[in-house]
């Protein structure tokens, strides 16, 4: 091999290393470390069956985090995730409760809840210019109140449709859980849109400098509105599939997904003030969050201690890669 060939290989290697997103690299290392730690306490942790089961569990969070990431890329945040999930699941199971003839409309009805919630948030933030944190938190409270009024404070006596159970609980192609296929299809679509389309470029541009983007001709209000609608649909889809897995809906079923979804996005390197991030990072962040929860459960740590460790690990990882330079604004 000539000196020139060696030099080319070195240059190529350096470019590859520089091209790796540091937060993604840190999260990937964390995934490997968590798996190794888990295998110490449970030898089956490294088995294909157990890892596929973890991917099944992670898929629900991954679907929700997909919508959260698009909103965060704009420098906004969606805190209506918990009850958007719950409301969509309740509507879907309520439609099924009307009779078998209504079962095909269960999933579309639940997704429409996500569209309505996202549209309300999007118009409020994108056009009325209300703070996303306050508006979406208020939306979450309204949805909670509506659910309590609808159920009277009790769990709704309805079940999921056959399609909801098939998507949320069953496995079909190659023994892979169907919900994982849903997450994969959604993720590939989002990754392509973000990197290969005008909409994706508008999202990154708006997240970096909204005023400059508006002056350059980008309809930033529309971009923000579409992002919140997408987040609402992802939250609704996550709730519907979760209801399919459990064969029921219940109050507060989305409460455990808000912090993990946002944490997964940030752990994956998406800048919390917008303008920077990759979907691959969000995927790895979801795996980190899910595996941490699994390992803590395997170790049979009390719930209070589990929450302390869970939060401490997230804070530590954020400190490792959360202090990068902000993109220009």
């Amino acid at each position: 091999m000539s000196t020139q060939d060696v030099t080319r290989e070195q240059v190529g290697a350096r470019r590859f290393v520089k091209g790796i997103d540091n937060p993604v690299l840190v999260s990937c290392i964390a995934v490997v470390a968590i798996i190794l730690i888990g295998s110490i306490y449970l030898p089956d942790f490294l088995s294909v069956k157990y890892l596929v089961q973890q991917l099944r569990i992670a898929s629900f969070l991954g679907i929700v985090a997909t919508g959260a990431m698009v909103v965060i890329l704009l420098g906004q945040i969606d805190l209506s995730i918990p009850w958007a999930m719950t409301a969509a699941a309740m509507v879907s199971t309520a439609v099924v409760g009307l009779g078998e003839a209504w079962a095909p409309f269960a999933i579309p009805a639940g997704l429409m809840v996500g569209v309505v919630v996202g549209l309300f948030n999007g118009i409020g933030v994108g056009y009325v210019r209300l703070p996303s944190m306050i508006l979406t938190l208020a939306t979450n409270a309204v949805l909670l109140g509506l659910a309590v009024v609808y159920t009277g404070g009790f769990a709704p006596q309805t079940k999921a449709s056959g399609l909801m159970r098939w998507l949320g609980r069953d496995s079909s192609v190659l023994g892979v859980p169907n919900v994982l296929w849903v997450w994969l299809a959604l993720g590939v679509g989002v990754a392509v849109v973000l990197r290969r389309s005008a909409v994706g470029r508008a999202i990154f541009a708006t997240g970096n400098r909204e005023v400059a983007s508006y002056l350059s001709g980008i309809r930033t209000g529309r971009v923000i509105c579409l992002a919140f609608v997408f987040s609402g649909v992802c939250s609704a889809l996550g709730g519907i599939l979760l209801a399919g897995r459990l064969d029921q809906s219940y109050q507060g079923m989305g409460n455990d997904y808000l912090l993990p979804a946002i944490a997964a996005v940030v752990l994956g390197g998406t800048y919390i003030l917008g303008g920077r991030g990759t979907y691959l990072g969000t995927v790895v962040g979801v795996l980190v969050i899910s595996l941490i929860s699994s390992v803590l459960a395997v170790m049979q740590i009390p719930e209070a201690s589990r929450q302390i460790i869970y939060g401490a690990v997230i804070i530590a990882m954020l400190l490792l890669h959360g202090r990068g330079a902000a993109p220009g604004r």
Side-chain angles (χ1 to χ4, degrees), residues 274-299:
R276 185 180 66 202
T278 62
Y279 188 71
L280 175 61
T282 297
V283 171
V284 179
V286 167
L287 296 179
V288 169
I289 297 295
S290 299
L291 288 173
I292 288 175
S293 299
S294 177
V295 169
L296 293 178
V298 167
M299 295 170 68

Side-chain angles (χ1 to χ4, degrees), residues 5-311:
D5 291 335
V6 173
T7 303
R8 287 177 180 174
E9 288 184 0
Q10 291 175 343
V11 171
R14 288 171 184 169
R15 287 178 179 174
F16 176 76
V17 172
K18 288 181 179 179
I20 297 177
D21 197 359
N22 286 337
V24 176
L25 182 60
V26 171
S27 296
C28 286
I29 294 173
V31 168
V32 175
I34 294 168
I35 291 176
L36 293 177
I37 293 172
S39 65
I40 296 175
Y41 292 90
L42 181 67
D44 289 342
F45 204 91
L46 292 176
S47 67
V48 173
K49 181 179 179 180
Y50 190 85
L51 292 177
V52 169
Q53 178 63 23
Q54 295 309 304
L55 287 174
R56 182 200 301 273
I57 296 172
S59 297
F60 299 97
L61 176 59
I63 291 169
V64 176
T66 301
M69 176 197 174
V70 174
V71 171
I72 291 175
L73 280 174
L74 291 168
Q76 309 292 343
I77 196 164
D78 187 356
L79 300 182
S80 64
I81 288 172
W83 281 89
M85 292 180 66
T86 304
M90 285 185 171
V91 168
S92 292
T93 54
V95 170
V96 176
L98 296 176
E100 284 298 321
W102 290 88
F105 302 99
I107 293 179
L111 292 177
M112 278 305 300
V113 172
V115 171
V116 172
V117 172
L119 192 60
F120 178 80
N121 290 334
I123 292 175
V125 177
Y127 292 102
V128 186
R129 314 307 295 175
L130 298 175
S132 60
M133 180 178 293
I134 304 301
L135 176 62
T136 57
L137 189 61
T139 301
N140 194 64
V142 169
L143 291 172
L144 186 159
L146 290 174
V148 172
V149 170
Y150 165 68
T151 62
F154 299 96
Q157 301 299 313
T158 51
K159 292 184 178 294
S161 68
L163 180 58
M164 289 168 64
R165 290 192 295 271
W166 184 77
L167 290 173
R169 193 166 62 187
D170 296 343
S171 300
S172 57
V173 182
L174 303 176
V176 176
N178 293 330
V179 66
L180 182 55
W181 287 115
V182 174
W183 181 26
L184 179 63
L186 180 66
V188 170
V190 169
V192 171
V193 169
L194 288 177
R195 292 299 177 184
R196 304 290 182 184
S197 72
V199 174
R201 289 189 291 271
I203 289 173
F204 281 103
T206 303
N208 268 305
R209 288 190 179 93
E210 184 178 346
V211 174
S213 299
Y214 176 78
L215 294 175
S216 67
I218 295 176
R219 297 182 178 180
T220 55
R222 179 182 295 182
V223 172
I224 292 172
C225 189
L226 287 175
F228 273 99
V229 170
F230 180 71
S231 179
V233 170
C234 287
S235 297
L237 180 59
I240 292 168
L241 296 178
L242 186 60
R245 182 190 178 209
L246 303 174
D247 199 19
Q248 64 174 335
S249 60
Y250 59 90
Q251 292 192 52
M253 61 189 297
N255 288 345
D256 294 335
Y257 285 84
L258 177 60
L259 175 60
I262 295 174
V265 173
V266 177
L267 286 177
T270 299
Y271 189 56
I272 194 65
L273 297 180
R276 185 180 66 202
T278 62
Y279 188 71
L280 175 61
T282 297
V283 171
V284 179
V286 167
L287 296 179
V288 169
I289 297 295
S290 299
L291 288 173
I292 288 175
S293 299
S294 177
V295 169
L296 293 178
V298 167
M299 295 170 68
Q300 297 183 343
I301 294 175
E303 180 61 25
S305 300
R306 192 183 304 179
Q307 292 298 321
I308 293 172
I309 296 173
Y310 180 75

